[in-house]
Amino acid sequence: MNILMICLGNICRSPLAEGIMKTKVPADFLVDSAGTISLHEGEHPDKRAIKTAANHGIDISSQRSRPITRRDFEIFDKIYCMDIDVFEDVISKAKNEAERQKVSLFLEVLGDHKNAEVPDPYWGSMEDFEKVFQLLEKGCNEISNQILK
Ligand code: 4NP
């Protein structure tokens, strides 16, 4: 099972989601992340994301930002989007129904969070990053429960 996490810049939310998800699935799962924009391509995650992950014993410091590509729709089985704008952007790149079926809003896995978005912490504080971490942790737990059952 190959899982891709997507946000806007691929330096805050989806790198955290990738780092958390990797702790929940067997090592032979491919877990990666990407962004819908290439503004931060090649950059490591935001320092606050790195610190927040490190506070929870997860090292995301070697990740590098990259934009989503057409190939991702072939490689990955599940593509989780952090907010509705990201979801709409990713869905617009899907070429057929099979590809569209792979794409969902990350927080939909938590039934009571229908249409909920993982808030963008980029303009926020360390506290906002920690809140995002907690949301992502909940979602990743549920995804791994669903996938591994
Ligand atoms: P992310 O956060 O999508 O969670 O990585 C952002 C990163 C960069 C920008 C916006 C959001 N930006 O505007 O550069």
Side-chain angles (χ1 to χ4, degrees):
M1 176 69 76
N2 298 336
I3 299 169
L4 184 63
M5 303 295 188
I6 307 281
C7 62
L8 183 66
N10 191 213
I11 55 169
C12 299
R13 292 166 292 178
S14 60
L16 282 167
E18 174 188 337
I20 295 166
M21 200 67 225
K22 279 179 170 159
T23 71
K24 315 264 178 209
V25 294
D28 62 334
F29 278 49
L30 177 62
V31 180
D32 196 8
S33 64
T36 53
I37 59 172
S38 53
L39 184 66
H40 297 279
E41 187 165 6
E43 292 177 20
H44 292 293
D46 186 285
K47 283 192 171 60
R48 297 162 298 174
I50 292 174
K51 178 78 173 79
T52 300
N55 288 344
H56 294 271
I58 300 173
D59 181 6
I60 63 166
S61 63
S62 60
Q63 290 184 30
R64 299 270 190 178
S65 172
R66 70 167 181 91
I68 188 170
T69 67
R70 280 289 318 146
R71 224 166 86 78
D72 289 322
F73 289 93
E74 294 161 23
I75 296 169
F76 292 95
D77 305 296
K78 299 269 190 190
I79 301 176
Y80 293 106
C81 303
M82 294 295 139
D83 63 37
I84 291 164
D85 284 349
V86 167
F87 175 81
E88 285 177 351
D89 200 338
V90 173
I91 275 284
S92 76
K93 297 181 198 308
K95 286 258 165 77
N96 54 47
E97 192 52 30
E99 291 186 357
R100 278 189 287 277
Q101 287 289 330
K102 297 179 175 188
V103 186
S104 64
L105 207 47
F106 176 87
L107 284 179
E108 271 182 20
V109 293
L110 303 175
D112 55 339
H113 284 78
K114 200 86 181 147
N115 292 329
E117 305 185 287
V118 178
D120 187 349
Y122 186 65
W123 305 104
S125 64
M126 275 303 286
E127 203 176 307
D128 296 313
F129 275 82
E130 177 59 27
K131 281 185 193 150
V132 162
F133 185 96
Q134 297 298 333
L135 264 181
L136 293 172
E137 169 91 15
K138 270 193 204 164
C140 287
N141 276 335
E142 190 51 38
I143 290 168
S144 69
N145 285 344
Q146 289 178 8
I147 287 171
L148 301 176
K149 78 180 172 198

